[in-house]
Amino acid sequence: MTVNTRLERLRAVAPRALGCLFVASGTLHFAAPKPFETIMPRRLPAHRAFVYGSGVAELACGFGLLTRRRWAGPASAALLLAVWPANVRMALDAGSGRLPAVADNRLVAWGRVPLQIPLIWAALQARPRSGDSPEG
């Protein structure tokens, strides 16, 4: 299998994998909002409202990616950029005892910050390519 073939397969799978990740994470925003509230930038008001709002956005983007909606790739990339400050806040707070469980581990927390880059790449692979005709 050539490098180009592997890359094409990755491009096809990446948006769907991200869609599954968004659906799982979006669900957790409602089932267990407290851990998400602890990583919110402190200057933002109404942390619970932001957690629920980002949960709705993750669910929408996740289902959009899984059903190949035209808007889902760009919207998912924008969402990942919007939540990046929470990942930075988590990394800055790691090791302080402020975060729950594994989130308080500096290696884990700082590892999430650059992880946004391949996730954004995965979202952008959902863009229609020539010959594609995704719905919506």
Side-chain angles (χ1 to χ4, degrees), residues 66-124:
L66 291 171
T67 58
R68 300 182 49 87
R69 302 295 183 203
R70 182 179 305 275
W71 55 265
S76 297
L79 176 60
L80 288 163
L81 287 171
V83 301
W84 210 337
N87 291 329
V88 171
R89 175 80 271 152
M90 179 178 153
L92 292 171
D93 286 345
S96 69
R98 182 176 186 270
L99 303 173
V102 72
D104 205 37
N105 180 301
R106 287 188 176 145
L107 183 62
V108 170
W110 280 105
R112 285 188 61 169
V113 175
L115 182 61
Q116 296 297 100
I117 295 167
L119 293 177
I120 291 167
W121 176 86
L124 295 177

